[in-house]
Amino acid sequence: MIFTVAIDGPAAAGKGTVSRAVAERFGFAHLDTGLLYRAVGAKSGAEGDPVAVARRLEPADLDRDDLRTAGAGQAASRVAAIPEVREALVAFQRLFARREGGAVLDGRDIGTVICPEAEVKLFVTASDEVRARRRWIELSGKGDTLTEAEVLADLRARDRRDAERAVAPLKPADDAVLLDTSELTIEAAIARAVAEVEARM
Ligand code: C5P
């Protein structure tokens, strides 16, 4: 069975949690595409030219522990605005999306660019304040010392860059279902996503 669930949205809206749960529930493979850009951003800090880094990216590069920091997120959104970096990562993502057995991909452009033919498209959002609070709790738990206000400013800067870039900007596909998680528990958000998948299987 070929079946793609595309989950897009801004930073810290709950895409990752919802994606992992949907993948587990239906036995689909999951790809967090933000990790690709985070890995390119982190590696090009040390090695230079992000385009060359993107062309040489290997699965092992996604396993680094330092890819989840706020700094890595900012570096990711800078390299993600370079068209040749995005192009270098398209083929891998498309193959993953259409692999046998079903796939969930989360990112910014999955429903619009990577897999417009996805069977299910969700655009997951939440208010800026809710997203900042969630991300701040997550980062604090890992020992990060950023304040909640700094996390909010960081998210807004990244969202602005992601939404305003010329190539594959952050925006819902015309046929995406909007899922605002501001007022939802994790369980309720997952239940809505699962219902969307079931309705189209
Ligand atoms: O989702 P995450 O916060 O890990 O993404 C990090 C950055 O990677 C985003 O801010 C965005 O600039 C970029 N990205 C993208 N396209 C995707 C996934 C992530 O441009 N499909």
Side-chain angles (χ1 to χ4, degrees):
M1 178 200 42
I2 308 285
F3 192 97
T4 310
V5 184
I7 304 191
D8 292 305
K15 301 187 300 291
T17 306
V18 168
S19 301
R20 280 188 297 275
V22 168
E24 191 172 324
R25 169 70 173 260
F26 295 97
F28 295 169
H30 172 229
L31 179 64
D32 169 2
T33 65
L35 272 185
L36 304 173
Y37 297 93
R38 286 171 182 265
V40 172
K43 274 196 106 182
S44 53
E47 295 176 24
D49 185 14
V51 177
V53 169
R55 290 184 179 144
R56 286 197 308 262
L57 202 68
E58 292 175 5
D61 295 327
L62 308 183
D63 272 340
R64 300 169 47 155
D65 286 334
D66 56 350
L67 296 182
R68 300 281 178 196
T69 62
Q74 290 291 349
S77 86
R78 283 194 204 95
V79 298
I82 304 170
E84 293 83 1
V85 166
R86 307 197 69 85
E87 265 164 47
L89 302 174
V90 165
F92 172 73
Q93 294 176 83
R94 289 208 171 129
L95 273 177
F96 193 99
R98 299 316 262 171
R99 68 200 272 149
E100 183 54 43
V104 182
L105 287 83
D106 68 287
R108 304 292 186 288
D109 65 339
I110 308 305
T112 50
V113 174
I114 299 299
C115 196
E117 70 273 37
E119 281 73 15
V120 178
K121 295 183 189 178
L122 296 178
F123 195 83
V124 181
T125 59
S127 71
D128 294 3
E129 290 72 19
V130 166
R131 293 188 293 118
R133 154 104 357 165
R134 289 181 187 156
R135 182 52 57 88
W136 175 67
I137 290 170
E138 181 193 329
L139 290 171
S140 307
K142 291 185 198 156
D144 204 312
T145 56
L146 287 174
T147 65
E148 196 174 334
E150 285 168 336
V151 173
L152 176 61
D154 173 73
L155 289 184
R156 284 185 169 148
R158 198 140 68 84
D159 291 345
R160 193 171 324 112
R161 200 180 295 127
D162 290 347
E164 288 176 358
R165 70 184 174 217
V167 204
L170 168 68
K171 66 159 196 255
D174 292 337
D175 51 352
V177 173
L178 296 185
L179 178 56
D180 186 333
T181 67
S182 306
E183 312 269 309
L184 295 180
T185 61
I186 290 174
E187 292 73 24
I190 291 170
R192 297 256 181 106
V194 164
E196 289 297 333
V197 175
E198 276 170 347
R200 288 172 178 76
M201 275 186 98

